[in-house]
Amino acid sequence: MSDQTYASVPEALVVGIYDNHTHLDPSGVPGTETLDYHAHLDKGSSVGVRGVVQVGTDVESSLWSAELAAIEPRVLAAVALHPNEAPRLANAGTLDDALTAIDELASRPRVRAVGETGLDYFRTGEEGRDAQHRSFEAHIEIAKKHGLALQIHDRDAHDDVVETLLRVGAPEKTVFHCFSGDADLARIAVKNGWYLSFSGTVTFKNAHDLREALEIAPRHLLLVETDAPYLTPDPFRGRLNSPYMLPHTLRGMAKHLGTDVSMLAALITSNTEEVYGRWDAEPVTAPRDAYTDATFEMPPMTGAIRLPYLDDPDPESTT
């Protein structure tokens, strides 16, 4: 059984880095240690994590992400409906309304990406795939409409994800979040100028395909992420993840590539700002700063975050 606590803070990086995909919203998972977003970000800052992209998976968590980005200078937001949300919403007759809400959120300041969206055939059967495809294509158009990056969730659906991107037309900045493919998918991504974002899974002992993909990817298309609170890198696989664990993944990548950690950090930081822009390009709303305004409280999440892994029998899978 996994140890649902956080590991100690690692040695700080000399050159700072960004976590381009994380979930800091309240998880509501019973029996787990909890940190609020301040603690996650402060621990990250202490080890050289300069900022994060906080990612939504439904309307509620997307709104929370946009609200947090508006008041926290270390946070940018991504908004979307997770592909496993689409069939549920379609069955309830609310998918179009939810997509309209995501479109509105995508126009807000400091929202820099549409994601995570894509296709997930691991948890959705044939009966839900039409809804996933409709949602995915709508998210692609939202990203292009607002000039935002697109963060792809692709699980057991590589061919259809690629086909959709090529047929509909991928946004200029397209990121395969938590890249889970092999060398063949990496070559397709590289050919089309799509970014490969590696999570802690690249450090897993059995992740040979991911490390081969890492070798193939040109350095200017590399990104790094935690996908917290899951996919914690070795040597802490099975523990809860947080942006402050990012140095472990970066160091694992640098070791496999035979390159200097600081050089790789500088390069990936440049890539991240190329995709999402600078974290200080738009000001936060100072009167609502949580550190100086004793009356401020982030809007509560009324339910648990709807991450794809909560009921997953193998949440640490490399695929």
Side-chain angles (χ1 to χ4, degrees):
M1 180 177 292
S2 296
D3 177 3
Q4 296 298 287
T5 60
Y6 292 95
S8 59
V9 174
E11 180 184 354
L13 296 168
V14 174
V15 175
I17 196 76
Y18 293 105
D19 182 352
N20 94 105
H21 187 110
T22 195
H23 304 277
L24 303 183
D25 13 358
S27 67
V29 182
T32 63
E33 183 182 354
T34 59
L35 294 176
D36 65 17
Y37 73 86
H38 284 145
H40 282 295
L41 295 170
D42 289 349
K43 286 175 179 285
S45 296
S46 74
V47 298
V49 177
R50 301 170 61 178
V52 307
V53 179
Q54 159 63 30
V55 180
T57 57
D58 59 10
V59 171
E60 186 180 27
S61 60
S62 293
L63 174 60
W64 193 91
S65 301
E67 289 288 318
L68 179 60
I71 58 96
E72 171 52 67
R74 293 169 291 183
V75 175
L76 298 177
V79 298
L81 310 174
H82 190 279
N84 289 325
E85 281 288 285
R88 184 183 70 83
L89 294 168
N91 289 337
T94 58
L95 178 56
D96 288 339
D97 289 342
L99 288 168
T100 298
I102 295 300
D103 187 19
E104 186 278 325
L105 289 171
S107 69
R108 294 197 179 191
R110 299 182 62 79
V111 173
R112 302 285 182 82
V114 172
E116 58 189 281
T117 182
L119 301 174
D120 188 321
Y121 293 168
F122 179 78
R123 292 181 59 82
T124 297
E126 292 282 352
E127 72 283 353
R129 291 185 182 181
D130 285 346
Q132 282 200 356
H133 279 265
R134 181 157 70 92
S135 179
F136 184 24
E137 293 184 21
H139 281 84
I140 293 172
E141 295 304 334
I142 291 170
K144 290 192 289 189
K145 172 184 175 182
H146 295 282
L148 301 178
L150 185 75
Q151 288 199 357
I152 300 293
H153 172 100
D154 167 23
R155 190 164 190 188
D156 294 355
H158 304 325
D159 291 345
D160 284 356
V161 166
V162 169
E163 187 278 331
T164 301
L165 289 172
L166 294 178
R167 174 173 48 82
V168 177
E172 180 183 357
K173 304 293 170 53
T174 294
V175 178
F176 275 72
H177 130 71
C178 190
F179 184 81
S180 62
D182 56 12
D184 289 338
L185 181 61
R187 291 187 184 97
I188 293 171
V190 170
K191 178 181 178 182
N192 288 280
W194 300 333
Y195 290 81
L196 284 66
S197 179
F198 290 91
S199 72
T201 55
V202 76
T203 70
F204 294 176
K205 292 181 175 62
N206 61 338
H208 306 295
D209 286 349
L210 292 185
R211 286 188 286 275
E212 186 177 0
L214 175 62
E215 294 169 6
I216 289 170
R219 303 292 169 86
H220 72 280
L221 293 178
L222 287 180
L223 299 173
V224 68
E225 65 177 85
T226 58
D227 199 17
Y230 296 99
L231 306 182
T232 309
D234 277 345
F236 300 102
R237 182 177 181 176
R239 304 280 292 273
L240 291 173
N241 204 2
S242 174
Y244 73 82
M245 298 296 286
L246 200 62
H248 290 295
T249 301
L250 182 71
R251 289 181 172 119
M253 292 168 65
K255 180 178 180 180
H256 185 75
L257 292 172
T259 191
D260 178 74
V261 174
S262 293
M263 289 182 62
L264 186 61
L267 182 62
I268 290 179
T269 292
S270 177
N271 295 345
T272 309
E273 291 181 342
E274 176 69 19
V275 175
Y276 304 106
R278 292 180 58 90
W279 264 246
D280 61 359
E282 293 173 293
V284 296
T285 309
R288 301 178 63 206
D289 186 287
Y291 286 106
T292 60
D293 183 355
T295 66
F296 173 77
E297 291 185 6
M298 273 294 294
M301 295 278 288
T302 58
I305 180 175
R306 303 186 65 87
L307 284 176
Y309 308 111
L310 296 185
D311 302 313
D312 192 332
D314 184 17
E316 300 285 330
S317 167
T318 61
T319 60

